[in-house]
Amino acid sequence: MSESTDGSRGVRDAFRGARVVVTGAGGGIGAALARRFAAEGASVAVNDIDAGRAQAVADGIGGVAVPGDASAIVARARDALGGGVDVYCANAGLASPGDAFAEEEVWAAAWDVNVMAHVRAARALLPEWLERGSGRFVSTVSAAGLLTMVGAAPYSVSKHGAYAFAEWLSLTYRHRGLKVHAICPQGVRTDMLTAAGSAGELVLAPTAIEPEDVADALLDGIAEDRFLILPHPEVARYYQARAGDPDRWLAGMNRVQRSWEDG
């Protein structure tokens, strides 16, 4: 893959012929990412736990479907793409509402899908990438991984973990050719927003964007070689406020919590 920072032309050059894997790509953000990479000339392996949805997206973009658990598809995706992976989009995620009293199984599932699937993918990809000195890992996190989300303790905590792992990958391997990007949108009009229920309606829905907007933000961020990609620019201000005055920020979020409880 050739790299360039010459705007959209450079992005097209970078991904023409690239071998790309997108997990959780049967719909929503994942499907938008798969379509965008295919439009840039990449060969795309479309993963989803729902084989029918994976196949439908793959058929629509001239890609290949690799259905199954996102934690264990790197080897099959590599074979399907002709023996290698250039870009891996760890996009599959689990919306897990609940508080501190959520069942152990809910916490375990959130951690497994939102964090450990990324870790397992990295384990499988890093030997190939470090040997050749190039590779790109894209982690679909969430603004909840930088901030938090009311009514969703397992989701918020596991997304913080996903963001931390992406940071660790970047700081550890960037000098060896690994590019890492963490996408942290707020509300996106997908099934996951619907699953967020009344909390999502209160906090996320008013500024929700389309999945295609997230794909556009990713490609722009790649062209600018940015680690942190914020499809909602206001998240940067919230993140700075959280770091600059944690108590004030927590007090503000507690007001949101009380508004949700009263709603």
Side-chain angles (χ1 to χ4, degrees):
M1 282 192 307
S2 63
E3 294 287 348
S4 171
T5 57
D6 184 23
S8 60
R9 173 72 178 270
V11 173
R12 288 196 296 271
D13 290 344
F15 295 111
R16 186 177 296 116
R19 298 160 296 184
V20 178
V21 180
V22 185
T23 67
I29 294 173
L33 294 177
R35 294 185 185 109
R36 181 61 187 273
F37 277 114
E40 300 294 338
S43 299
V44 182
V46 179
N47 162 260
D48 200 89
I49 197 73
D50 185 320
R53 296 182 71 178
Q55 190 65 58
V57 174
D59 289 346
I61 63 173
V64 57
V66 185
D69 186 337
S71 286
I73 55 96
V74 170
R76 287 191 293 122
R78 183 183 287 122
D79 291 343
L81 292 172
V85 174
D86 300 306
V87 181
Y88 188 91
C89 298
N91 173 78
L94 186 63
S96 303
D99 57 18
F101 298 98
E103 296 293 332
E104 291 284 331
E105 292 79 5
V106 174
W107 282 96
W111 191 258
D112 192 65
V113 176
N114 295 341
V115 181
M116 291 309 300
H118 299 201
V119 175
R120 294 176 188 123
R123 286 176 184 159
L125 292 161
L126 282 170
E128 171 191 352
W129 287 352
L130 297 179
E131 181 178 1
R132 75 184 189 204
S134 67
R136 193 179 297 273
F137 193 95
V138 178
S139 178
T140 301
V141 184
S142 166
L146 296 175
L147 306 170
T148 195
M149 178 60 191
V150 299
Y155 181 76
S156 296
V157 172
S158 59
K159 286 298 187 176
H160 273 71
Y163 184 76
F165 184 64
E167 275 192 329
W168 185 89
L169 284 176
S170 182
L171 69 89
T172 303
Y173 297 115
R174 61 171 46 210
H175 66 291
R176 298 181 65 181
L178 180 62
K179 302 284 190 179
V180 183
H181 309 277
I183 318 172
C184 296
Q186 290 192 116
V188 182
R189 296 186 185 99
T190 66
D191 292 343
M192 191 172 286
L193 178 58
T194 303
S198 59
E201 284 294 317
L202 175 66
V203 178
L204 304 176
T207 60
I209 60 177
E210 298 298 332
E212 291 75 17
D213 296 324
V214 179
D216 289 343
L218 172 61
L219 270 291
D220 289 345
I222 287 174
E224 297 170 5
D225 199 23
R226 283 188 280 115
F227 167 75
L228 179 57
I229 297 173
L230 301 176
H232 294 79
E234 62 268 27
V235 170
R237 298 196 305 273
Y238 304 153
Y239 192 38
Q240 290 170 339
R242 174 179 179 266
D245 192 340
D247 288 303
R248 182 176 181 181
W249 181 81
L250 286 168
M253 288 301 296
N254 180 250
R255 287 193 294 272
V256 175
Q257 172 72 24
R258 285 180 285 162
S259 176
W260 175 56
E261 291 176 3
D262 293 342

